[in-house]
Amino acid sequence: MKLTDHLLYIDITQICGIGCSFCMYSDKHKGGINLVLTEKSENNLKGLINHNSVKRISISGEGEPLNNIEAFHKLLDFSHKKNEFEFISSGFLPKELMYQFYIDTNNILLKSKSKCNIRLSSDSYHLEKIKHRSHGLSIDWFIKNPESHLSFSFRSIDTDKEFTRNFLVSEAMKFGYHAKIKEINNLTDEIIINENYIFKIDYKNLVKPKDIENDNFLDLKEYISEIELKTNKKFTLGSINVENNGMDVTIKPDGSVFFYGIENIKLGNLNLDDITWENLEHHVENNKLINNLYRIPFIDLIESMKDNIIINEIIRRNNNPYWVMKELETYPEILKEIASND
């Protein structure tokens, strides 16, 4: 199995005051920690970030990453080549602070000529909990700073897409822009500003919806099917590329390293171990569970265990493959069965 174009997720904080009921990390927010960069972790991250095999570095958190801007800017500054960064946030800061955040972030990106896409949560679950909203400001920043190394997109977990669509159109109008929505597929819209500027809107499945039988919610198989239609490729864990998949690595605020969605297997710690893409690839090649999850389509793995009552109930409750894997951490026998699948 050839692995190319890897994703690196860096969770820089567990601190969050928003309090979304569906958050898979809500148990960590009380007394949560920020990522603190040591000399060892800095050396590891510089090697991972500047490797030619990296497709994108996504910086977010088990909380709200704006609570650790210092770490975010350090990570950007580690880049010595043109990298593609992503910053996933609610954008909850007051507009003047958010504007300064964009200026400071862009100035750092200028050094390496890297780019960063700011992805703002744009659904009713997040927006009802934040006072300051930076969506219109972000559109305005992009249009008024055409040479900026920042770009912007939006993300939503609303089953009622009209909420997200209407909200973003109204935010653009507040800054004097004409906006319209173009539906691309069931998981993607575009908001078009003044006929010239296009911003992407990604829709994700709301995990563990309270009303499971609500027809607006996609179940696990429907959600994966939509991902496959969008990417024109069977869904497996890992970075889904046009040809060969890549590794999808996540780093936690305490420095722990995992493959995204396979957090029952710790790969090391940034503060203690030497972490390289070559060592991580060794885990994919030699661990049967990881290898199967990267190699075999997720739906095929599920179908092979369709008579298992436990996994059927987990699938019924969870409409996101990563949440399924999170629950399976407490069922080692099922993970052993996945590992034995040929």
Side-chain angles (χ1 to χ4, degrees), residues 139 153-154 164-165 167-172 178-182 189-193 197-201:
I139 291 171
S153 63
F154 306 101
T164 296
R165 292 166 175 166
F167 168 74
L168 291 174
V169 167
S170 66
E171 285 294 293
H178 170 73
K180 65 180 180 180
I181 299 293
K182 179 180 179 181
D189 281 345
E190 290 176 349
I191 179 170
I192 303 171
I193 308 295
Y197 303 96
I198 298 174
F199 299 85
K200 189 177 180 182
I201 308 170

Side-chain angles (χ1 to χ4, degrees), residues 273-286:
D273 308 303
D274 293 324
I275 307 295
T276 67
W277 288 112
E278 291 74 18
N279 289 341
L280 293 168
E281 186 168 354
H282 180 80
H283 286 283
V284 178
E285 292 173 351
N286 293 280

Side-chain angles (χ1 to χ4, degrees), residues 231-272:
T231 59
N232 195 30
K233 190 173 187 179
K234 291 291 185 181
F235 176 83
T236 62
L237 266 65
S239 171
I240 302 177
N241 304 318
V242 175
E243 295 181 0
N244 301 297
N245 280 6
M247 288 179 283
D248 198 343
V249 173
T250 183
I251 295 169
K252 301 296 184 180
D254 67 354
S256 297
V257 182
F258 303 91
F259 287 121
Y260 189 64
I262 318 176
E263 295 185 12
N264 62 305
I265 301 174
K266 186 176 177 179
L267 308 174
N269 189 289
L270 285 183
N271 301 305
L272 304 172

Side-chain angles (χ1 to χ4, degrees), residues 3-21:
L3 298 167
T4 60
D5 295 335
H6 312 311
L7 293 184
L8 179 63
Y9 284 91
I10 307 175
D11 290 335
I12 60 174
T13 187
Q14 291 174 335
I15 298 171
C16 186
I18 297 174
C20 297
S21 60

Side-chain angles (χ1 to χ4, degrees), residues 53-90:
S53 65
V54 176
K55 177 172 70 174
R56 186 170 72 250
I57 302 107
S58 183
I59 299 171
S60 185
E62 294 180 334
E64 166 52 60
L66 284 172
N67 288 311
N68 197 4
I69 292 174
E70 180 183 359
F72 170 54
H73 283 164
K74 278 188 176 181
L75 292 170
L76 293 182
D77 208 29
F78 289 165
S79 181
H80 298 146
K81 67 182 185 70
K82 293 181 180 179
N83 272 308
E84 295 291 333
F85 287 91
E86 176 182 67
F87 186 77
I88 304 173
S89 171
S90 66

Side-chain angles (χ1 to χ4, degrees), residues 2 8 16-17 32 37 40 42 46 58 61 66 68 76 78 100 131 147 158 185 239 248-249 253 304-305 327 333:
K2 187 177 181 181
L8 179 63
C16 186
L37 296 170
K40 179 74 171 179
E42 287 188 6
K46 287 175 183 176
S58 183
L66 284 172
N68 197 4
L76 293 182
F78 289 165
Q100 187 62 49
K131 178 180 178 181
E147 303 301 319
D158 265 310
N185 54 54
S239 171
D248 198 343
V249 173
S304 70
M305 296 182 289
E327 286 211 21
E333 289 303 313

Side-chain angles (χ1 to χ4, degrees), residues 220-221 224 298-306 311 315:
L220 179 69
K221 291 183 180 180
I224 289 177
F298 198 78
I299 290 296
D300 292 350
L301 287 173
I302 290 171
E303 286 295 324
S304 70
M305 296 182 289
K306 61 184 178 182
I311 198 167
I315 290 169

